[in-house]
Amino acid sequence: ARMDTWAEESRADRCALFARHHLRPLRYYTDMRRDLAAARLPRPRLPGGLRLQPYREELSEGVRAAHNDVFRDHWGSQPLTAAHWALRVTGSRHFRPGWSFVVSTTSTTSTTSSGGGAGGTDVVAGYLLSGAYEEDWPAQGFREGWTDLLGVRRPLRRRGVASALLTAAARAYAADGMVAAGLDVDSANPSGAVRLYTAHGYRPARRSVLHAKDLPA
């Protein structure tokens, strides 16, 4: 068993308190933000064989399966059951389907389906799910679209899928009057996500530290 707690890296008092109680820094996470007012927001582009579409409820199970596959090598990640997915992800009061997108491709061999397709199965290649955390906006002083989950299956990485999803989401945020796009990322993310976000104009806003302490059995 393990006890976890969080603190912003700038909160030296809190970090010192945790250290006195033998909680050690274990993981670092960075909030990143993109200014949409100053951003160039072109139309998303994908190579042939890949299709960008708005999120729909009937795609949910395919997106969940893709998410479990994408995050299987991420630190601390566990597969999400259908019940947990419906409760904490698509059923969250913060979830915004209109700001969420799916990239799909057609395969005759995959068993991960998001709907029928002529000559094969429509497979979720990547996804971006967004949220609106309106309770934060007054303190922040601006309205922001937040990327909660973003993932691309390994065989389809480096083909522009994540870029197309980020661009589609940014355009949706801006169309609804958001002035910024935000997300957070594990600083040790194995997929190179920090480089991707930086290339899309995201800049570090703050960093949080996960402190942990092993507990006796």
Side-chain angles (χ1 to χ4, degrees), residues 82-209:
H84 185 251
W85 182 263
L87 177 67
R88 300 296 299 275
V89 181
T90 59
S92 167
R93 65 186 177 89
H94 299 292
F95 178 52
R96 294 297 183 270
W99 294 353
S100 303
F101 298 88
V102 177
V103 170
S104 59
T105 185
T106 299
S107 168
T108 57
T109 59
S110 175
T111 58
T112 304
S113 169
S114 62
T121 300
D122 200 20
V123 176
V124 173
Y127 58 91
L128 185 152
L129 304 185
S130 297
Y133 295 85
E134 299 178 47
E135 63 272 24
D136 294 340
W137 296 348
Q140 290 179 173
F142 57 87
R143 294 158 57 89
E144 167 179 62
W146 190 265
T147 295
D148 283 317
L149 295 174
L150 171 64
V152 179
R153 289 184 184 273
R154 287 161 189 77
L156 293 161
R157 291 177 183 171
R158 293 177 174 79
R159 294 184 60 186
V161 174
S163 291
L165 289 164
L166 286 167
T167 300
R171 288 169 62 90
Y173 301 158
D176 280 352
M178 304 298 107
V179 300
L183 50 80
D184 67 354
V185 60
D186 183 339
S187 299
N189 185 294
S191 66
V194 176
R195 292 192 302 274
L196 169 71
Y197 301 145
T198 300
H200 278 265
Y202 287 84
R203 297 293 178 262
R206 63 180 180 180
R207 194 158 77 151
S208 300
V209 185

